[in-house]
Amino acid sequence: MEAEIIEKPMAFGFEENENQIMIAQMIRDFGEREIKPFMMEWDESQEFPVPLFKKLGELGLMGVLVPAKYGGSGFGYHEYVTAIVELSKIDGSVGLSMAAHNSLCTGHILQFGNEEQKQKYLPKLASAEWIGAWGLTEPNTGSDAGNMQTTAKEDGDHYILEGAKNFITHGKSGDVAVVIARTGDVGDSHGMTAFIVERGTPGFSGGRKENKLGMRSSETAEMIFDNCRVPKENVLGNVGDGFIQSLKILDGGRISIAALSLGIAQGAYEAALQYSKEREQFNQPISKFQAISFKLADMATQIEAAKLLISQSADLKNRGKKVNKESAMAKYYASEVAVSVANEAVQIFGGYGFTKDYPVEKFYRDAKLCTIGEGTSEIQKLVISRAILS
């Protein structure tokens, strides 16, 4: 992918720029060859297809937001959203892993790493030579991340990490992880620190891999730290800033999950729309029945509204503006739309929608994670309500 950005204004998503058009077509062509023929096999076996992500790296899709000087594509959030949407229209699992790699691990190092850290890690992440993971969630502290139990204690020129993270994308297969650990008191928002931990570091291992309802070829697993010695030069930013950094990373991460949700919704809608035109009952296509056409109207309207919320968030992010409320709105609404649209798509397909011979059952299973991952719908409403009441 060329790193040169074609400058063209975009007003909240009403017009795609040339880069977005190019990226979308590239992914559609790539998906037909490299994803569609294998995605159900990956889904059934729960295989995380690492070679596929190496190919995505060759296309520049594993470092979309990384500047060209670090080996990335140097694009902005509109192009990034387009890439996630197009991948997720084909396979939500691929969209999820691509998004997590870009916005969490790579994004954290890009936003808070020093120059030496950026030079060392970003080229390998942007090319997908290394797959990235990001560890905040723990078994007993999901939304309550401030009470995390994983600790990092200073020991000379190192910190010793003890504890475990769970529900981590690429928790076993990731080559490098950004890990948030407690360096101060429990509950202290300035008592946590971010560390870069490379796979192969003694004491760092992958644990149990989750057996999931959906997103089955995107690996979700534990990361375990047992007397894991991490050098001080691997601290990201200042000691004690890890939690504050994480909240800022999650602002961008919400845009990623919103885009993932939109892609799933669009994929399900397009499949249902096409099927409704082809499936005949009572001597006419089922799209001719008001019960079906009204479902499609609702689905299309919800998708367009989600697009606008996401485009607004991407625009604010590109301009360096505060995006906390807007990204929460986009993530909340788009994820609920994904579940609703996928549900209606299965209904339109009828009995066939419940089988694996048609695509909507997978969209239906994949969609639910979007209302949970990177902050549940309830947490998004908490963020939104605090913003509008402050």
Side-chain angles (χ1 to χ4, degrees), residues 129-375:
E129 177 184 346
W130 282 9
I131 301 295
W134 192 75
L136 177 67
T137 302
E138 296 183 1
N140 295 314
T141 57
S143 299
D144 185 18
N147 280 316
M148 68 174 58
Q149 299 302 305
T150 298
T151 59
K153 295 184 178 179
E154 193 173 1
D155 183 33
D157 292 332
H158 290 74
Y159 279 88
I160 300 176
L161 271 62
E162 295 279 356
K165 302 290 183 178
N166 75 333
F167 296 135
I168 307 303
T169 305
H170 315 143
K172 292 185 74 170
S173 297
D175 300 285
V176 62
V178 172
V179 180
I180 318 302
R182 184 162 55 80
T183 48
D185 295 332
V186 173
D188 179 5
S189 61
H190 293 281
M192 289 161 274
T193 302
F195 299 87
I196 303 172
V197 187
E198 296 180 26
R199 187 70 62 183
T201 301
F204 175 33
S205 62
R208 184 172 72 95
K209 180 179 176 180
E210 302 295 340
N211 183 8
K212 299 177 296 182
L213 168 71
M215 303 289 194
R216 288 166 60 86
S217 59
S218 177
E219 179 186 275
T220 306
E222 291 178 312
M223 293 193 302
I224 298 171
F225 305 92
D226 181 10
N227 195 34
C228 178
R229 294 177 62 83
V230 178
K232 284 186 174 178
E233 58 261 31
N234 283 27
V235 171
L236 272 166
N238 296 322
V239 172
D241 284 352
F243 185 66
I244 306 303
Q245 292 173 8
S246 296
L247 294 179
K248 293 178 181 177
I249 293 301
L250 288 171
D251 280 346
R254 291 186 189 115
I255 299 174
S256 301
I257 302 301
L260 171 67
S261 304
L262 177 60
I264 291 171
Q266 285 189 322
Y269 164 72
E270 290 172 10
L273 179 65
Q274 184 64 33
Y275 182 80
S276 75
K277 295 175 180 179
E278 297 171 351
R279 171 70 166 171
E280 291 196 358
Q281 293 284 273
F282 305 102
N283 301 315
Q284 62 180 329
I286 63 172
S287 60
K288 297 289 187 181
F289 295 104
Q290 190 179 80
I292 301 300
S293 65
F294 277 19
K295 285 183 186 294
L296 293 166
D298 284 338
M299 294 157 76
T301 302
Q302 291 168 1
I303 286 169
E304 289 303 313
K307 279 183 186 178
L308 292 174
L309 282 170
I310 295 166
S311 294
Q312 176 183 234
S313 296
D315 180 74
L316 290 170
K317 190 72 174 171
N318 276 346
R319 293 190 285 124
K321 302 293 185 180
K322 186 176 180 181
V323 73
N324 178 261
K325 178 187 71 175
E326 289 79 7
S327 65
M329 286 178 168
K331 195 272 186 188
Y332 166 52
Y333 185 76
S335 64
E336 295 292 340
V337 164
V339 172
S340 173
V341 169
N343 178 61
E344 291 289 43
V346 171
Q347 195 71 17
I348 289 170
F349 270 81
Y352 292 112
F354 206 64
T355 73
K356 293 183 183 294
D357 296 327
Y358 291 85
V360 290
E361 72 85 30
K362 184 175 185 300
F363 286 125
Y364 183 73
R365 289 186 289 108
D366 288 347
K368 187 56 195 170
L369 178 69
C370 298
T371 68
I372 299 169
E374 292 195 39

Side-chain angles (χ1 to χ4, degrees), residues 1 6 8 10 13-29 75 78-83 86:
M1 185 188 296
I6 302 169
K8 186 175 181 181
M10 180 176 178
F14 289 116
E15 184 179 7
E16 290 184 325
N17 63 42
E18 286 89 342
N19 295 312
Q20 291 174 275
I21 295 169
M22 174 194 71
I23 291 167
Q25 189 58 56
M26 178 183 71
I27 291 174
R28 288 167 194 159
D29 294 341
F75 288 126
H78 291 305
E79 291 84 0
Y80 175 54
V81 163
T82 295
E86 291 298 328

